[in-house]
Amino acid sequence: MSHSGFMTNTPILAQRYDLYGSVHKGLRRTQCLLLTRLGANDFTDAAATEKLLADMKRLLSMAAAHVEHEDREIHAALHERGIGTGHVDEQHDDHREAFTIIANKIAAVENTKGAARVEAGRGLYLTFAAYIADDFAHMHEEETVLCPILWQNFSDAELQAIEMRIIASIPPEENMAFTRMMLPAMNPAERNALVGGMYRAMPAEVFNAVVEFAIRPSLTEAEFAAVQTGIGLAA
Ligand SMILES: [Fe+2]
C-alpha cells in the first residue's frame, strides 16, 4: 500500500455509529503514555520499574482482550454475511505473537539486575515502539477500510447490538478498566454520550459504582464536572 493513500484515506463519519472510535482512542492514548514512560524510566529504580511493568502487563491483557472481542463479535458478524476478514485476522494473529514477545521482554527486565536490566529495558522500549507502530497502522485500517464495510452491511442499531454483546460478555471489573482507558482519550461530546448512556441504562447503585471506580478516577476534576453538567446532573 502506498503511504499517501494509506494516510489520506479517512472516510467521513456522516453520523454513522463509530464502533471502533472510542476504544481505539483509549488504546492509542495508553500505548503512547506507556511508550513515553518506558523511554524515560530509570531501570535502576526498582520501585518505578515494578509499577511500570505492572501497567505494561495490564495494557497487554486489555489489548489481547480487545483483539479477541473483535474476532468473536465483529469478524464473526461479517462472516455471517459472507464477508471475509482474512487480512485483519492475520494482523490479529501477528498481534498475539507480539504479545508473547513483549511478555518475554518484560520477563527479561524482571529477571535481570544492574547494567543488564538497563539493556533489557532498552530492548523492551524498542520492541514496544515497533509493536504500537504496527498496531496504529492496523487500527487505521480497521477504522478506514473495515468500518465503511460495516456501515454498508449493518444498520447502526445492529452495530450497537454488536457492541452491547461485547460489553455483556465481559466481567464488570473489565468493563470498568475499559471505561477508565477510554474516557480520558475521548472528547467532551463523546464522554457525554457514553456516560449519559450509562446513566440512563443502569440502576442508580450500579451507575454510582461506575462513577466512583471508573469515571471520576480517570478524569480531572474539571473534566468530571463537565461530564456531570453535560449529562444533566448538577456538578
Ligand atoms: Fe483489531
Side-chain angles (χ1 to χ4, degrees):
M1 98 195 106
S2 89
H3 258 314
S4 59
F6 176 63
M7 288 165 61
T8 53
N9 177 26
T10 54
I12 54 162
L13 196 50
Q15 330 257 299
R16 292 301 310 271
Y17 192 63
D18 192 6
L19 190 56
Y20 290 106
S22 300
V23 69
H24 280 185
K25 274 190 173 180
L27 283 164
R28 289 188 186 96
R29 173 181 179 273
T30 303
Q31 289 172 341
C32 285
L33 290 172
L34 281 169
L35 182 69
T36 306
R37 282 173 64 196
L38 279 172
N41 188 57
D42 176 1
F43 282 94
T44 65
D45 180 336
T49 300
E50 194 182 327
K51 188 171 184 318
L52 174 54
L53 296 185
D55 291 343
M56 284 290 297
K57 288 177 192 174
R58 198 165 305 121
L59 177 269
L60 284 184
S61 84
M62 291 178 76
H66 171 68
V67 165
E68 132 74 20
H69 301 153
E70 288 181 348
D71 284 346
R72 201 185 55 228
E73 298 297 344
I74 301 176
H75 298 191
L78 284 161
H79 298 164
E80 267 176 36
R81 305 225 166 151
I83 300 153
T85 56
H87 190 223
V88 279
D89 285 336
E90 270 170 44
Q91 291 175 341
H92 280 184
D93 289 339
D94 290 346
H95 278 20
R96 282 182 266 268
E97 211 177 294
F99 297 147
T100 306
I101 295 167
I102 297 166
N104 290 338
K105 297 270 180 185
I106 291 172
V109 175
E110 287 172 332
N111 298 328
T112 47
K113 284 199 180 97
R117 177 172 256 210
V118 173
E119 194 55 53
R122 178 174 172 274
L124 175 59
Y125 171 72
L126 290 174
T127 301
F128 189 64
Y131 162 69
I132 72 171
D134 211 34
D135 190 38
F136 278 30
H138 164 70
M139 291 191 286
H140 187 77
E141 182 167 337
E142 286 178 334
E143 285 180 63
T144 62
V145 179
L146 203 55
C147 205
I149 295 174
L150 287 163
W151 289 333
Q152 274 163 24
N153 290 279
F154 296 85
S155 68
D156 281 350
E158 287 174 320
L159 295 177
Q160 276 169 292
I162 289 173
E163 187 173 87
M164 286 316 296
R165 281 202 296 278
I166 295 172
I167 293 168
S169 73
I170 61 184
E173 315 80 63
E174 199 179 331
N175 271 315
M176 297 256 200
F178 273 102
T179 302
R180 277 195 298 271
M181 187 180 76
M182 288 166 13
L183 265 189
M186 294 161 72
N187 67 38
E190 291 164 344
R191 285 178 195 157
N192 292 344
L194 179 68
V195 178
M198 290 172 169
Y199 176 61
R200 288 186 296 274
M202 290 172 171
E205 66 274 18
V206 178
F207 179 72
N208 289 338
V210 175
V211 168
E212 291 318 312
F213 290 104
I215 299 173
R216 196 193 290 270
S218 67
L219 297 174
T220 65
E221 246 172 75
E223 289 167 340
F224 180 69
V227 170
Q228 284 183 303
T229 311
I231 68 170
L233 289 175

